Amino acid sequence: MTNPSLLILPGDGIGPEVMAEVRKVIDWFGAKRDLTIDVQEGLVGGASYDAHGTPLTDETMELAQSVDAVLLGAVGGPKYDNLDFSVKPERGLLRLRKEMDLYSNLRPAQCFDALADFSSLKKDVVAGLDIMIVRELTSGIYFGEPRGIIEEGNERVGINTQRYTESEIARVARSAFELARKRGNKVCSMEKANVMESGILWRDVVTEVHQAEYPDVELSHMYADAGAMQLCRWPKQFDVIVTDNLFGDLLSDAAAMLTGSLGMLPSASLGAPMANGRPKAMYEPVHGSAPDIAGQGKANPIACILSFAMALRYSYDQGAEADRLEAAIETVLAQGARTGDLLGPEGGTPISTSEMGDAIIGALDASL
Ligand code: NAD
């Protein structure tokens, strides 16, 4: 059997620093769990622009299409702010998402007990929280036509169009149901079927896919505005939430902040199933390249390590090893390990990026 493959694209700013800690984790799984992943590394964003004059070369794009999963650090930074739009670092990221057709964006909101005080909500509302927002990423109002600003009479009119085909809704719904089967087996679909035809179609298609293919998964529906309220009131009622591009943008940001620091948030973008039955996939921390702390050993590597945990679960079918890695992170946090971003108002002594990586490796060792 061939080993699973991974393309690592560290990118810019703190990207390479946090990725170095993921490398330690990957090596640990190879050495201690007999889980060898064939890793290749490439350039993206400003790093690729500096070397090749483009934020993503065709060769790296081809490589990304050929591997089981891509793990990206972060792109961008002030050095590249004045570049032409066509070669800005973000274009590399957008090209990967577009050409791999990654239509399903997964944003978990997971609250580690040791950080529950960080949330703006009461501790008992968020402690132990583990929900997943699945956002449709390649269609909807951000892409629909007609769009633009036109003149009408003597004033301007701004136009955007919410447009979804049945197949676009069905494929993201399948993605949510598949995920639910690997988690708490519950999906809540959110739209505004009370005021939008696209919402009526969304609800119909999600229901049809559920009845035909996933009757074993519990499905509920909620209007997205009520969903936003419920997310703040009692988020633990949810397991997987599936929603469109616009509502998902808002709901996933709100849900993420239930859990505290940007340095803790992973994400995945999934596409159609490949020949091996697993989805095309790119994993990345939610945070950016953090130029204010880059090169200083201050970055929290946990968001990127948790992104790798998602790859273990969703691309390599190694759910138990993903659980092991998440438990190791929970352990080091419970023991009080904190990078600077995790220190509360009372302060404390931060540890460095590599010390956090080493602590997680120590907890992995202790898990054996
Ligand atoms: P940012 O996420 O880079 O940083 C926001 C704040 O959070 C900063 O104070 C930073 O120090 C802190 N922070 C972020 N990640 C952290 C970590 N792992 N550990 C500790 N602290 C962390 O967002 P920004 O400042 O708005 O953007 C900086 C650059 O990153 C810009 O060029 C932007 O375009 C780019 N960006 C890239 C991505 C991506 O690659 N996916 C996402 C967002 C922003």
Side-chain angles (χ1 to χ4, degrees):
M1 237 179 59
T2 54
N3 295 327
S5 58
L6 178 70
L7 173 63
I8 280 182
L9 301 173
D12 309 320
I14 61 169
E17 294 171 56
V18 295
M19 202 61 87
E21 304 313 308
V22 179
R23 280 280 197 161
K24 290 180 188 168
V25 171
I26 294 173
D27 291 346
W28 185 89
F29 277 101
K32 303 284 174 71
R33 301 300 298 159
D34 205 17
L35 174 56
T36 303
I37 296 175
D38 289 338
V39 179
Q40 302 183 71
E41 192 162 324
L43 297 174
V44 69
S48 174
Y49 177 80
D50 287 342
H52 304 296
T54 169
L56 190 77
T57 63
D58 293 344
E59 291 73 31
T60 307
M61 187 65 241
E62 266 173 44
L63 207 50
Q65 296 280 22
S66 71
V67 290
D68 293 326
V70 176
L71 180 65
L72 186 137
V75 297
K79 182 179 164 194
Y80 308 105
D81 281 352
N82 296 323
L83 287 182
D84 185 69
F85 181 73
S86 64
V87 289
K88 274 193 182 294
E90 296 75 18
R91 304 303 299 170
L93 185 55
L94 294 177
R95 182 176 175 197
L96 283 160
R97 286 184 187 153
K98 185 163 187 292
E99 293 193 20
M100 292 170 76
D101 197 13
L102 303 172
Y103 53 79
S104 175
N105 183 229
L106 277 52
R107 293 266 301 265
Q110 196 175 3
C111 185
F112 291 94
D113 283 351
L115 299 181
D117 283 333
F118 256 69
S119 175
S120 50
L121 297 188
K122 290 196 190 83
K123 190 169 178 171
D124 69 313
V125 175
V126 292
L129 179 71
D130 181 9
I131 62 178
M132 176 76 79
I133 310 252
V134 178
R135 166 189 172 194
E136 200 290 326
L137 200 60
T138 53
S139 186
I141 199 161
Y142 293 158
F143 296 93
E145 298 283 347
R147 63 185 298 161
I149 300 175
I150 62 168
E151 297 282 338
E152 213 174 76
N154 56 1
E155 63 175 351
R156 291 173 301 160
V157 181
I159 300 172
N160 289 93
T161 303
Q162 167 87 328
R163 184 179 191 279
Y164 271 109
T165 64
E166 287 184 278
S167 53
E168 286 169 342
I169 301 168
R171 64 184 189 172
V172 75
R174 281 191 192 98
S175 176
F177 288 125
E178 291 288 337
L179 284 169
R181 278 184 175 161
K182 292 182 178 169
R183 298 171 41 94
N185 218 35
K186 277 199 318 192
V187 170
C188 180
S189 171
M190 295 189 186
E191 27 56 19
K192 291 275 288 174
N194 50 342
V195 284
M196 294 169 77
E197 285 75 7
S198 59
I200 295 173
L201 184 69
W202 183 280
R203 191 175 280 222
D204 282 353
V205 174
V206 171
T207 305
E208 285 160 17
V209 170
H210 173 248
Q211 283 169 356
E213 300 170 46
Y214 301 93
D216 53 303
V217 179
E218 189 184 321
L219 171 67
S220 59
H221 302 274
M222 208 177 264
Y223 298 138
D225 50 343
M229 207 170 66
Q230 291 300 330
L231 263 179
C232 300
R233 193 185 68 83
W234 190 243
K236 286 187 236 179
Q237 68 186 282
F238 298 112
D239 176 28
V240 174
I241 293 172
V242 63
T243 187
D244 72 14
N245 203 341
L246 173 63
F247 296 140
D249 198 0
L250 308 182
L251 292 171
S252 65
D253 265 23
M257 285 328 289
L258 297 176
T259 68
S261 169
L262 203 50
M264 296 289 300
L265 298 171
S267 79
S269 301
L270 307 181
M274 301 185 287
N276 64 10
R278 306 213 185 92
K280 276 208 168 160
M282 181 160 77
Y283 300 88
E284 53 184 313
V286 170
H287 63 70
S289 59
D292 53 332
I293 57 166
Q296 301 170 38
K298 290 182 179 171
N300 183 350
I302 292 180
C304 204
I305 293 175
L306 285 174
S307 302
F308 175 67
M310 292 183 82
L312 283 174
R313 184 170 282 118
Y314 301 120
S315 284
Y316 305 136
D317 253 343
Q318 296 284 345
E321 299 303 335
D323 288 346
R324 179 191 298 279
L325 180 51
E326 288 167 357
I329 291 169
E330 177 90 64
T331 300
V332 300
L333 293 172
Q335 288 166 348
R338 300 279 187 276
T339 42
D341 58 306
L342 301 180
L343 290 174
E346 66 282 0
T349 312
I351 62 172
S352 69
T353 308
S354 66
E355 284 168 334
M356 181 60 96
D358 292 341
I360 292 167
I361 296 294
L364 283 170
D365 276 335
S367 76
L368 294 177

